[in-house]
Amino acid sequence: FASARSYRDCLGLLGDQLSQQLVIGLNGGLAYRQGQLVYEDQLDKDVYREVLGFCRHFNLPFFVDDTFDYSGQILEKIPFIANVDPLKKAQY
């Protein structure tokens, strides 16, 4: 199963059996098999810091998805935020 969404956000859709198969999430940025992270690709740390600094400086909404948890600011301005972590399994 492959999705632009995170593994965490697909759990309710996939159910117990399918969530244990190979699940590719975040547009190929991570992969889980048997519920365990087996692949992760991250942004360059300097680029990440620069973009995050820009968002904070101009007080822009942003959402950062990690392998399972997430962070952000002004999340209420992000249209898809209601669909993030529907099972409430992540730490914010």
Side-chain angles (χ1 to χ4, degrees), residues 43 46-57 60 62:
L43 291 173
D46 292 332
V47 171
Y48 172 75
R49 285 186 194 112
E50 185 174 342
V51 171
L52 194 61
F54 182 86
C55 290
R56 288 189 170 144
H57 177 77
L60 298 172
F62 68 86

Side-chain angles (χ1 to χ4, degrees), residues 3 5 9 11-12 16 24 26 32 34-36 49 52 54 57 59 65 67 69 71 77 80 83-84:
S3 176
R5 297 174 70 185
D9 294 351
L11 290 174
D16 292 337
I24 300 168
L26 299 178
Y32 278 77
Q34 296 177 339
Q36 300 297 312
R49 285 186 194 112
L52 194 61
F54 182 86
H57 177 77
N59 200 34
D65 220 340
T67 55
D69 299 320
S71 182
K77 297 240 180 187
F80 64 84
N83 298 318
V84 172

Side-chain angles (χ1 to χ4, degrees), residues 6-16 19-20 68 87 89:
S6 72
Y7 174 74
R8 169 201 67 237
D9 294 351
C10 295
L11 290 174
L13 171 71
L14 295 173
D16 292 337
S19 67
Q20 297 303 301
F68 200 82
L87 300 179
K89 292 184 172 271

Side-chain angles (χ1 to χ4, degrees), residues 22-33 36-42 67:
L22 177 62
V23 179
I24 300 168
L26 299 178
N27 290 319
L30 57 77
Y32 278 77
R33 185 186 312 261
Q36 300 297 312
L37 181 67
V38 294
Y39 173 80
E40 174 185 14
D41 189 19
Q42 297 180 353
T67 55

